[in-house]
Amino acid sequence: MLPLIATRPAVTPQTLRTAERGLEILCAAGFPVGHALSALNALTLFVIAHATAEVYISPLNAAEAPGSVDYVAELDPAEFPLLVQAAGTSEGTDDSARFDFAIEALITGYAATL
């Protein structure tokens, strides 16, 4: 279902109401409408992309396939010291924490433009 959602425009009365509500919130916080629309679009695209990646990454990690955390942890540390370190300590590999970090960074960045 997610690939269908991620590749089709979602213009329905409900999605338009949701977009309108998001724009109301951002405009009330001081965003000009154009910046509010850009921020809302960027957040929406990030959420869809992150959810889509999760669908495809979870089986990869479960199978310890190339690109998985376990695979990266076994790379040559002389060539990839930071990737191996991150994979070995799980720093930056928690998908939920990474999502929260990115959303907070996006919102903080948007707020800094006001």
Side-chain angles (χ1 to χ4, degrees), residues 17-114:
R17 286 185 199 96
T18 301
E20 184 70 20
R21 181 65 185 130
L23 291 172
E24 287 172 357
I25 292 167
L26 291 169
C27 289
F31 283 84
V33 71
H35 284 93
L37 185 57
S38 292
L40 186 62
N41 281 332
L43 285 168
T44 301
L45 290 172
F46 172 74
V47 170
I48 291 169
H50 193 276
T52 302
E54 282 297 301
V55 167
Y56 294 104
I57 290 172
S58 293
L60 182 96
N61 280 329
E64 299 177 8
S68 69
V69 174
D70 291 332
Y71 177 88
V72 173
E74 297 299 321
L75 292 173
D76 178 3
E79 187 173 2
F80 305 104
L82 298 175
L83 288 171
V84 171
Q85 177 186 344
T89 61
S90 297
E91 293 178 52
T93 63
D94 179 274
D95 295 324
S96 179
R98 185 172 35 230
F99 179 83
D100 292 345
F101 171 81
I103 291 292
E104 184 175 330
L106 285 169
I107 292 171
T108 300
Y110 297 146
T113 69
L114 296 178

